[in-house]
Amino acid sequence: MSDPFVELHEIRRQWDGKGGVRGVSLSVPRGAFVSILGPSGCGKSTLLRLLAGLEVPQSGQILIGGQDVTHAAPSARGLSMVFQSYALFPHLSVRENILFGMKVRRASRAAQAEKLAEAVAMTGLEGLEDRKPGALSGGQRQRVALARAVVAGHPLCLMDEPLSNLDAKLRHSVRRDIKALQRRLGLTVVYVTHDQSEAMSLSDHVVLMKDGAVQQQGHPEDLYTRPATPFVAEFIGDPPMALVEGAALGQAAAQIGIRVEKIERAHVDDADLVAHVEACEFLGGETRVLLSHPRARGLGLILTGRRELAPGTALGLALPDEHRVLFPAPGGQKDPQQNYGATDRQTAPRDGRKAPSQQTEEVSR
Amino acid sequence: MTDAFRIAKRRRAIHGWLLLSPALVMLSTFAFYPSVATLWASFFSRETRRHPSEFIGLDNYRFLFEDPTFWKVAGNNLLYAGVTIPISIALALVMALWANSKIPGKSFLRTAYFTPTVLPMIAAGNLWLFFYTPDIGVLDQLFGLVGLGSMNWLGRPETSLWAICIVTIWKESGFFMIFYLAALQTIPPELKEAADIEGASRWTYTRRIVLPLLMPTTLFILVNALINSVKLIDHLFILTKGGPSDSSKLILYYIWELSFAFFDSPMAAATTVLVLAVLGIVAALQFGLLDRRTHYQ
């Protein structure tokens, strides 16, 4: 992470000691596509709003391009934003919506026309310039919002669940458009989503949050193959990681995670686990077998082609050692087998500082 | 096939008329019939013991146009509307923008602004009598403190209409504020945030985004204010009774006088028809001209 373009240091913003963001640090290199991922209410939107300057942090520091902008106005931060609701001005035409910012900044007419043509061509909105947002489809509105963000020419673009109001098919095509746009313009994008597949497919760097704190951050592959906590294991991937009690496999760890596609079928006599078939899902190229075991969650088996297994059938499973991820009991020491990336180190000092700050808050109350 | 189609079509027509009938009955009884009856009555002469009422065509209108009091009253009403409508709308907008911002005591502010609306016009008239009365009124007491003499606000032809205007503005702007406040709350806060990120100042945001989005409300309020400027005369009964020398007389008060003080109901009917016609034309103009520039969500 050389040349960090956006940096957050121990950012904290809570309401009456609840919700929001508590002590998040983040570093985004120039030109990166960073996703902030998490279940609803985890503080990811708050984090984005803090970055945009729509909220002011209670403590911590925000740097953009090396400048401290912690208390700067949104417009002084050199960024654009795409809102979940698009926030288009309903009484203005597509053209006026896209050019609103340039008009506010009193750009020359020629520059406006040039930028408009460019943005409209880039987002495929040709011929719709005179329509009002009310006369556009959801996907078109979404593209107007993108064009408005692009036309500002800011190097940083924040996106707050920009695809959540689109239907599944459109979501995929707009997703590709966003990625192409980001590549072409060399934008640094901070992208908030609750959809793990969006985050995985789009980003160079995923920040997974829960309850206002970062659970794990890193390359999508790191989160997929080496989740730091059972929460990450079960949030990332479709299907999510299977979790087995350590004791069931004769290991010291509290829980052991394994990707379903790494589980192999074995003979019942020398299997690690014997599970029972719950249901089979035929997906065309493969069959997903959902399995149940009293001491495991999310167990499954992927078999090629179409297979029918009667519910209740006992299956022997082999869980290869090299694909097992060991999770210690909560609060205990991390297993040394686990990968310690730069990302994991970040969580350590946060835990150390969190306690005193909570104490001071209780005293002040 | 065609038979079934015709029956279905007729059933739909009957259904439509059934849905329409309650409004049709109510409007016919209380709006259409009285209007037509008034128009009809305005073509007859006043009935006295010696002369029964007879058809005189447009003579009532001719008398009306020759009557200097009518022109005086019409002028008064024009001035009254021209002063109270813009000022009360502007005040309502400013108060709504203020009461909608994040300030402490917001709900108290809203209630305080709305209170005049809750008061009946008669009570408001009495309240303002207490302000305006010479010597013992609140205004004179205040002026006395700074050494100014007594002033009969309601008793002088130069000031009486203005004093009435102030009461109306005070009464109306709180009412209009509620509409603006409701409209302001339908504007999503993201629009403000999007404008903030683009670097729009508070003023630019208000002018380019808020005011256009409030246009439907403004149009609605404008029509209402116009109607009220003709309709609301209760305070005249308390404050001036149209005097002195007709200086604060408004058109509806004049109609009331014609009908119930001078018992000349055909003349009152003729005046009413004129007022209806003028109001109708102005409302049509307002909707026609402003509608095209208004964005409805």
Side-chain angles (χ1 to χ4, degrees), chain B residues 22-255:
Chain B
L24 190 68
V25 169
M26 296 296 270
L27 281 174
S28 306
T29 318
F30 298 108
F32 301 146
Y33 170 69
S35 307
V36 173
T38 306
L39 181 68
W40 185 244
S42 73
F43 296 137
F44 287 84
S45 69
R46 181 184 171 197
E47 185 182 345
T48 59
R49 210 168 287 171
R50 296 226 192 118
H51 306 284
S53 176
E54 59 178 13
F55 188 84
I56 52 168
L58 294 173
D59 275 1
N60 275 329
Y61 295 91
R62 194 163 51 79
F63 299 147
L64 203 58
F65 290 137
E66 284 166 1
D67 178 5
T69 314
F70 170 74
W71 291 109
K72 169 81 180 155
V73 169
N76 278 349
N77 219 139
L78 221 55
L79 181 70
Y80 176 77
V83 170
T84 58
I85 294 174
I87 294 183
S88 55
I89 290 182
L91 266 179
L93 183 59
V94 171
M95 293 192 310
L97 287 172
W98 191 32
N100 196 44
S101 54
K102 288 188 189 116
I103 49 167
K106 190 164 65 177
S107 55
F108 172 77
L109 196 70
R110 289 179 188 177
T111 317
Y113 282 151
F114 192 61
T115 311
T117 309
V118 185
L119 283 179
M121 205 64 186
I122 299 288
N126 278 314
L127 196 68
W128 278 86
L129 207 55
F130 167 70
F131 281 94
Y132 283 141
T133 310
D135 299 329
I136 54 165
V138 171
L139 281 179
D140 264 17
Q141 302 259 344
L142 285 175
F143 284 131
L145 284 180
V146 292
L148 288 169
S150 160
M151 179 75 165
N152 190 354
W153 298 97
L154 295 168
R156 289 164 39 131
E158 305 86 64
T159 55
S160 59
L161 186 60
W162 296 97
I164 296 289
C165 285
I166 289 170
V167 178
T168 307
I169 292 167
W170 173 84
K171 180 94 169 75
E172 297 256 277
S173 42
F175 183 52
F176 296 152
M177 180 200 71
I178 294 299
F179 291 105
Y180 272 133
L181 211 50
L184 280 174
Q185 278 162 9
T186 64
I187 298 179
E190 291 90 48
L191 295 190
K192 169 80 175 131
E193 293 173 356
D196 275 349
I197 285 175
E198 298 282 12
S201 66
R202 201 186 159 88
W203 165 241
T204 310
Y205 170 70
T206 306
R207 192 173 53 91
R208 295 279 316 275
I209 310 297
V210 175
L211 293 186
L213 289 178
L214 290 179
M215 266 310 272
T217 314
T218 306
L219 184 63
F220 173 76
I221 290 177
L222 200 60
V223 173
N224 263 287
L226 183 85
I227 293 168
N228 277 353
S229 74
V230 176
K231 201 176 75 179
L232 274 186
I233 50 149
D234 309 18
H235 51 328
L236 287 186
F237 286 90
I238 302 294
L239 292 171
T240 63
K241 299 206 188 304
S245 60
D246 296 337
S247 63
S248 65
K249 194 170 287 177
L250 299 177
I251 201 100
L252 189 59
Y253 193 89
Y254 183 56
I255 293 174

Side-chain angles (χ1 to χ4, degrees), chain A residues 99-172:
Chain A
L99 291 178
F100 181 80
M102 291 192 86
K103 284 194 173 152
V104 166
R105 291 187 289 276
R106 301 188 194 287
S108 72
R109 243 165 227 284
Q112 285 185 23
E114 186 195 332
K115 284 280 191 181
L116 175 73
E118 200 181 304
V120 162
M122 214 182 283
T123 47
L125 287 166
E126 292 102 333
L128 301 172
E129 291 96 330
D130 292 316
R131 292 235 198 131
K132 299 267 172 75
L136 298 178
S137 70
Q140 289 168 334
R141 281 182 218 179
Q142 150 63 241
R143 279 184 278 152
V144 176
L146 276 179
R148 187 170 67 178
V150 162
V151 90
H154 294 310
L156 175 61
C157 184
L158 310 181
M159 300 193 184
D160 188 2
E161 308 216 13
L163 306 183
S164 60
N165 287 338
L166 302 178
D167 62 67
K169 206 172 173 188
L170 209 53
R171 209 174 289 172
H172 277 93

Side-chain angles (χ1 to χ4, degrees), chain A residues 180-220:
Chain A
L181 212 60
Q182 182 254 344
R183 283 233 179 85
R184 179 133 59 109
L185 299 171
L187 291 174
T188 308
V189 173
V190 179
Y191 185 101
V192 161
T193 180
H194 63 262
D195 182 341
Q196 62 89 24
S197 67
E198 246 170 52
M200 299 290 280
S201 62
L202 281 171
S203 32
D204 316 313
H205 190 82
V206 176
V207 179
L208 180 55
M209 288 182 68
K210 186 196 174 195
D211 299 334
V214 174
Q215 286 275 314
Q216 186 176 3
Q217 54 174 316
H219 192 273

Side-chain angles (χ1 to χ4, degrees), chain A residues 241-259:
Chain A
M241 213 175 227
L243 289 177
V244 187
E245 281 177 33
L249 293 167
Q251 273 179 292
Q255 283 182 305
I256 292 165
I258 186 161
R259 285 288 159 199

